[in-house]
């Protein structure tokens, strides 16, 4: 960290600042110029509160040089992390596709879709049991019954299941029943939930918040990893911007940045990002071309009757066609779907 | 709700759509033009999933006319809601100021600040015990010890206390100890938490999410109110934009909009919105001029030593000066501080 | 257009509204429900001012059904537009790459780069002569001398040249010297400039503004096309968001949307979108996968000495490698580079 | 400017970087730490291209300390600039209100409105003659006829006139006819236009671009001032965000920031910022409370018949009432309306 101090700062104010820095166990390198005194801090500055430093009136600017995340940082873990659920892999040369409906609606529905997406090459089945909805009057999911239906579909097809957790009370049930626990965009900074999930061994699929920066996403992964669970999958799912033709704006440049900064696998959710089924194919192809390790895609056997997000769901035949096309792209990128 | 259907839609596709609508217990008003068939839906459309309707290929556009919130809607509750905590009021002609440090750090600190802000005219004491921090390596608050210190400060000064809850496990403790329970921006759409808070009688201070629309804020209030707790205070605290001179962009136009759409009191947090102490005064004055019912302001006896957010905290003398100035504005607006 | 009027509106207020509508030569279809009176407007509503309609107090909502652009609309021009500059094509099955430095700096520089990018397969040479810079103290380009150097490079290599125009005074010079006239993001809504460019026959490369919606981009194309020049190439170059790791956020979903709504070719500028050279390759590949018709890429023989935008420029060898990789993607998409 | 270089950088790469810096006439202050070599640049770094420095692979980070604007900087011009048009003042203790219709429509209309707003206390008359409209099919203003009608209204009322220029060709006419030349949001970075306006003596009202940062607004002012014209009025008029209840999000924190960084007067346009007439009053009051030097407000004698922006225009009686209320606020702030 570099701190730029006014050249005319008084000795006692500088001492007060140095005091704060040294209390954090850091050393300081001085450099006095005409206009500024520059302090270069040596040591682990992650616990230092930038705002407190900036509140010293003699401080003009503060520049972080070190990245604030450690476990998620590729610097300290150069190899790609590969997530393995009973030989279903995501990461490295393994392109993993997760598919299924927005929400589990009935046994017939979830089994039918699970069979279809498996046949097309999906490695994981997704399905919402607890649904975070903007309105309290909207369908909120089948709850634990939904989890049970997912388990039946897993038994029928062998596909590991992915479902979204909404609160710490559900951790036991999700740890027992689900193969990958999803943290939704709205909970990306639910730090208590992240901390508890960090105590499990289960892979965690962590979605980027609607207005979270790339660095904040990595800091949320760090919350989980700090507790011991390093099985984190990052997911870009669109950010909120002024553009209103799409539900969100898919930020595909986040993929190569996350891959450079971190060793964790990165997948993309083109369904929620765009909110429109006909944009899923081009955005799925673009994701793999940009370096993604996988996709999570909404598939419904009858989108027009879906209890949520019908407009962004693919029909099974459209999904099948998409998977066929994705294989050509995977081949160029040296990946296996 | 109005649904615009292609004029060339086939009879059986229209029937399928009508089927979905009628299952929701709604009636339909037809109007056939040259290019479009327009369906006007009559009844309560709040539970209808717009996305499922849009997934019908014959549908060109859907327009919501009715507002999706009911309990929070001024239409059904024309009078202003006034929050009353032992005669400390927020709402109507009562301008309520909540003040205190970002986080409770010690008994000495919180009592000293509590006395200062009370003397200056604050009606409530704020203080973080559980702190949502971007980094797992940052100070996370004193936890339950923090709540205890707040209680001591309340006993010393008589000021009711406001503190942020981060998870459902804490509900019992907060219901016992705290006078107004704050839901932070990152938890605005933690729907499980909102639902549980709806079962209490305690006032809830609900902060707008970093990228939440005004309508989404009202929908989150609706989650709480639907369960029976109508003591909700809305709080504008800045939204995330491209501008980087301030931590967030304070959206003051949200105040008159919220006041028009809803009967709930609306307060403003200029400290978190701007992230810079010298912007707190002009933004506090602007808030009252724009119609706010109160403010929540960070005050610290020694910002340079604060464990968090020092840069945005006012010193007690600066806060005192601000309160003095705010009284002139309150007078013009016919409000009592 | 559909106008929702309060059911309790008075007759004379409705008449006043109808008067305004009928003055525009439109017919009206009525539908009276319990809560609303719905007016469906028949005819060309493009000239109607929505804001004036909304200013009638009896109006609750207005919904546009018709798209506000005509010449740029695929509805009235189903076939893809192909831009042809001496057999160098962009559009349809022709993937066109434009490459070159941010700004023309010297004869040696521009000829050297032109030869390199031609060898790698670029079809057009880009180079800035007039540079829009945020600071008046930054290098502003060589001006007309820059255009002359571009002409020399064209003579040497046969590559048609693309350069940015900044003001109407330059139209004559650009029409004489340049093969494709670029309108930069900051001038996307310089309507006087667009109108004048509409009177030429020269192809216009129109960049999306930093915070322009997709519809606004199409409306700016419409300004040019309305005057008679239908040779417009649309360019996605990133939009401004809160994310600060990239200069802008590249909105690749704009490609399939623009291709669906319009017949005009769509290219992408990954250099300006990201601001970082190592993001150009993944974003270029993602662009072609998402359906783009071409790319515009910054290439500099010595980025470290570039007078502008060095950080986002590719070295010629890196560009060569990129072009090699893009060919595999083009093949899958059935396109020729 | 501070440049952080990798500690393991090779001598010749460092020399190459130093070479670039020294060519710009700057001196360098070294400081070698464990992880980094820190270069502190001494001298005027405004002309240095940050991107070229960042393109050196040995550079980790670059931090600007100096502000990039000079003429607009309060540091070099501590006193408030006051704009004076025939004793009609904006700036310092003079709160100046500019009012009038979105566009001039007829002699009767403009004279009637001019008389009304003058009676209510407006110091300047606004009126659009050339209108930048998103659609080429919308009303584009009366052009030079509009300027003539404004001159008639000025003669009738004595109010100086403010109108928007759209292109350099119009400079002569505007310099002859108009008292304050307005540069609209879409032209804030039309640098050629800014440069030409810098050669006049006429006050320039410079509006913030839809997605311009505060620093970019100041840099655009710098373009004008660098040429010699220091009569610039800055105008906050809302920025583009995801919130869709208002046309734009009014960023009132920009006022105290601009006032701190610059000596130029700052006014606010609540009409364009919100797009809704009933938000103009609370936002106008908030603006004055936040420290604004003036307002520009749309007033129309018959908003329902306005040829543009009817929804955001105040009726003269509403404007009169607003001016009455603003006087109380002005008094508190020690300003004269």
């Amino acid at each position: 960290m570099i701190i730029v101090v006014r050249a005319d700062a008084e000795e006692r104010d500088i001492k007060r600042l140095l005091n704060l820095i040294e209390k954090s166990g850091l050393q300081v390198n001085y450099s006095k110029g005409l206009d500024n005194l520059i302090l270069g801090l040596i040591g682990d500055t992650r616990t230092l509160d930038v705002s407190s430093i900036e509140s010293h009136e003699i401080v003009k600017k503060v520049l972080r040089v070190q990245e604030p995340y450690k476990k998620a940082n590729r610097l300290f873990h150069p190899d790609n992390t590969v997530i393995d659920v009973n030989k279903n892999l995501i990461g490295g040369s393994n392109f993993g596709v997760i598919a299924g409906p927005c929400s589990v609606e009935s046994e017939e529905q979830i089994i039918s879709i699970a069979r279809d997406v498996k046949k097309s090459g999906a490695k994981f089945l997704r399905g919402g049991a607890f649904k975070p909805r903007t309105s309290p009057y909207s369908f909120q999911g089948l709850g634990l019954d939904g989890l049970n239906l997912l388990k039946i579909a897993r038994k029928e097809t062998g596909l590991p299941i992915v479902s979204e957790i909404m609160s710490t009370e559900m951790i036991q049930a999700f740890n027992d029943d689900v193969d990958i626990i999803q943290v939704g965009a709205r909970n990306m900074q639910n730090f208590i939930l992240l901390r508890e999930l960090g105590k499990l061994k289960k892979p965690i699929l962590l979605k980027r918040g609607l207005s979270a920066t790339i660095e904040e996403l990595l800091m949320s992964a760090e919350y989980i990893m700090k507790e011991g669970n390093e099985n984190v999958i990052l997911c870009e799912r669109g950010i909120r911007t002024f553009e209103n033709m799409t539900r969100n704006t898919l930020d595909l440049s986040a993929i190569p940045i996350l891959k450079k900064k971190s060793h964790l696998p990165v997948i993309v959710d083109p369904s929620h990002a765009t909110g429109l089924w006909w944009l899923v194919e081009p955005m799925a192809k673009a994701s793999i071309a940009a370096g993604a390790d996988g996709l999570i895609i909404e598939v419904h056997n009858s989108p027009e009757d879906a209890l949520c997000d019908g407009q962004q769901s693919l029909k099974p035949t459209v999904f099948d066609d998409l998977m066929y096309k994705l294989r050509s792209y995977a081949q160029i990128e040296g990946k296996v779907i």
Side-chain angles (χ1 to χ4, degrees), chain A:
Chain A
M1 189 180 290
I2 288 159
I3 303 175
V4 185
V5 172
R6 290 176 211 287
D8 63 355
E10 306 228 355
E11 206 51 46
R12 53 169 197 152
D13 291 329
I14 297 175
K15 277 217 175 108
R16 197 171 175 204
L17 177 61
L18 291 176
N19 214 25
L20 176 76
I21 294 165
E22 279 154 13
K23 266 202 311 196
S24 306
L26 300 164
Q27 282 188 294
V28 180
N29 206 328
Y30 295 78
S31 167
K32 183 138 179 111
L34 280 178
D35 298 325
N36 306 308
L37 169 66
I38 299 170
L39 308 179
L41 273 50
I42 301 160
D44 183 347
T45 57
R46 268 187 294 268
T47 58
L48 213 58
D49 191 69
V50 174
S51 177
S52 298
I53 292 171
E54 287 174 334
S55 72
H56 287 250
E57 281 176 31
I58 59 171
V59 171
K60 286 164 86 172
K61 296 238 174 177
V62 176
L63 175 69
R64 267 197 181 284
V65 181
Q66 216 177 25
E67 273 145 352
Y69 42 90
K70 199 170 174 176
K71 298 266 188 183
N73 201 326
R74 193 179 275 276
L75 206 61
F76 310 117
H77 185 315
D79 293 337
N80 289 317
T81 287
V82 178
I83 301 294
D84 179 346
V85 183
N86 300 329
K87 310 294 173 207
N88 294 283
L89 308 174
I90 293 183
S93 61
N94 310 283
F95 192 85
V97 178
I98 303 166
C102 171
S103 71
V104 182
E105 294 168 12
S106 69
E107 183 172 332
E108 192 194 350
Q109 174 236 27
I110 193 68
I111 289 181
S112 159
I113 297 173
R115 284 188 177 138
D116 281 340
V117 300
K118 187 186 181 183
K119 213 166 51 192
S120 301
K123 282 189 199 156
F124 300 86
L125 175 67
R126 63 150 289 160
F130 297 87
K131 298 298 307 171
R133 304 301 299 274
T134 305
S135 167
Y137 306 112
S138 297
F139 173 61
Q140 308 273 320
L142 295 181
L144 291 176
D145 290 346
L147 289 189
N148 282 329
L149 297 180
L150 281 169
K151 283 160 72 179
I152 294 172
R154 175 173 58 191
K155 207 173 162 193
E156 285 291 318
T157 59
L159 288 180
I161 53 182
V162 183
S163 200
E164 179 172 349
I165 195 168
M166 282 178 67
S167 190
T168 46
E169 293 96 331
M170 306 171 186
I171 285 185
Q172 191 59 53
F174 273 72
N175 198 29
D176 290 347
D177 292 350
V178 163
D179 299 294
I180 298 179
I181 302 177
Q182 177 180 323
V183 176
R186 287 172 187 76
N187 275 314
M188 192 201 86
Q189 292 193 319
N190 184 335
F191 300 120
I192 306 285
L193 179 61
L194 299 180
R195 195 149 54 195
E196 294 306 311
L197 293 172
K199 296 173 183 162
L200 310 180
K201 289 183 174 157
K202 210 52 96 173
I204 308 298
L205 168 44
L206 179 65
K207 289 194 155 189
R208 182 179 183 183
L210 273 78
S211 66
T213 63
I214 291 170
E215 187 170 295
E216 287 170 343
L217 173 58
L218 288 169
M219 292 310 288
S220 286
E222 191 79 9
Y223 259 96
I224 299 169
M225 298 171 87
K226 179 170 176 277
E227 301 297 321
N229 186 353
E230 304 206 359
N231 296 308
V232 179
I233 303 167
L234 304 171
C235 180
E236 161 63 32
R237 45 77 72 210
I239 55 173
R240 198 161 256 192
T241 71
F242 60 83
E243 176 58 56
N244 52 22
M245 281 222 194
T246 43
R247 186 188 274 200
N248 298 286
T249 297
L250 185 59
D251 177 11
L252 288 181
S253 49
I255 303 172
I257 293 173
L258 286 168
K259 299 293 295 177
K260 184 176 189 179
K261 302 272 179 190
S262 177
H263 51 89
L264 298 172
V266 179
I267 70 169
V268 173
D269 180 344
S271 309
H272 279 88
T274 62
L276 295 167
W277 72 269
W278 55 273
L279 287 173
V280 172
E281 179 185 313
M283 290 303 102
K285 295 195 294 186
S287 299
I288 193 167
D293 295 305
L295 290 163
I296 177 164
I297 292 178
E298 291 203 354
V299 177
H300 197 286
N301 49 355
S302 178
E304 298 178 351
D305 300 313
L307 293 176
C308 69
D309 286 348
Q311 174 66 345
Q312 72 195 34
S313 298
L314 297 187
K315 290 177 185 166
T317 52
V318 177
F319 177 69
D320 192 64
D321 184 48
L322 169 61
M323 288 297 284
Y324 177 81
K325 288 174 181 160
L326 289 177
R327 284 192 184 86
S328 314
Y329 283 91
Q331 205 179 347
I332 298 180
E333 295 294 321
K335 288 184 179 167
V336 183
I337 292 194

